[in-house]
Amino acid sequence: MKMKFLGIVLALACCGASAAKADWKYTKWGMTPEQVVSASGNLAREGSDPRPDSDGNVSKLVAPYQGGKFPFEAQFGFDAADKLSSVTLVLNDRSASMPMGADMKMDEGECHDLQASVDAEYGPPQGGGTADMLYSIETWQDQKNKNNVKYTVLYGTGCFVQYSAIKPAGAH
């Protein structure tokens, strides 16, 4: 029952209850930074990390976001054309900063709860894996909402869920 509840919370919080298109909450893929600031009710502000991510997107804006019981920082990634192309929800997980030791249980904490919620929402991961207990990545293609979904946990550091539009075949 708890797993089902967490899945419902994540579905409503992260994907939108009525979302049937490739967007995230109050944003639409392809928005400019100014449009994202306006759509966020002026909550979005300039980000502090100008380095591109693995997809080449730069998180130019950040905003607080509460998804059910999960407190996030939403990071809005923009492509080289300055169009919104990803939203990364970084979980504010107090337990993630605990040192890894013999008494630390990897199956506890908010990152574990978030991972359980994402798994409950999307089912078994369609891709990803674990590397030497340093990190784990799970990926899905959410055909219903037309989004790529990627859950990443960096053990001892934190976790996040990233959303981006599924690109049509042949698109770059």
Side-chain angles (χ1 to χ4, degrees):
M1 181 69 168
K2 182 178 178 185
M3 291 294 288
K4 185 174 182 179
F5 174 74
L6 289 173
I8 292 169
V9 167
L10 184 69
L12 294 174
C14 298
C15 301
S18 62
K21 55 196 176 303
D23 300 313
W24 180 80
K25 296 305 266 181
Y26 50 80
T27 63
K28 296 191 181 308
W29 303 128
M31 284 182 149
T32 65
E34 296 77 19
Q35 290 171 322
V36 172
V37 169
S38 178
S40 75
N42 294 319
L43 287 176
R45 63 189 187 292
E46 189 174 325
S48 61
D49 187 3
R51 296 172 295 175
D53 66 14
S54 61
D55 294 326
N57 299 324
V58 176
S59 293
K60 294 185 175 185
L61 299 172
V62 297
Y65 178 71
Q66 184 72 34
K69 74 171 197 163
F70 300 110
F72 295 102
E73 175 183 77
Q75 299 176 350
F76 301 94
F78 294 86
D79 62 17
D82 221 16
K83 301 294 184 185
L84 181 67
S85 56
S86 68
V87 176
T88 303
L89 300 178
V90 179
L91 182 65
N92 298 324
D93 183 4
R94 295 171 300 281
S95 66
S97 60
M98 294 172 50
M100 289 179 60
D103 59 348
M104 182 180 171
K105 296 179 181 164
M106 292 304 292
D107 62 348
E108 294 180 359
E110 293 173 14
C111 278
H112 177 264
D113 292 347
L114 178 60
Q115 182 175 12
S117 294
V118 174
D119 288 345
E121 172 64 19
Y122 298 108
Q126 297 165 349
T130 301
D132 300 326
M133 293 305 293
L134 297 175
Y135 68 90
S136 178
I137 298 173
E138 296 179 350
T139 61
W140 300 263
Q141 280 202 336
D142 177 6
Q143 296 296 333
K144 177 183 171 199
N145 296 303
K146 300 190 180 3
N147 285 319
N148 290 309
V149 180
K150 179 169 48 174
Y151 171 82
T152 303
V153 61
L154 306 170
Y155 298 113
T157 302
C159 57
F160 58 90
V161 180
Q162 184 178 62
Y163 295 88
S164 61
I166 295 175
K167 292 184 174 50
H172 297 279

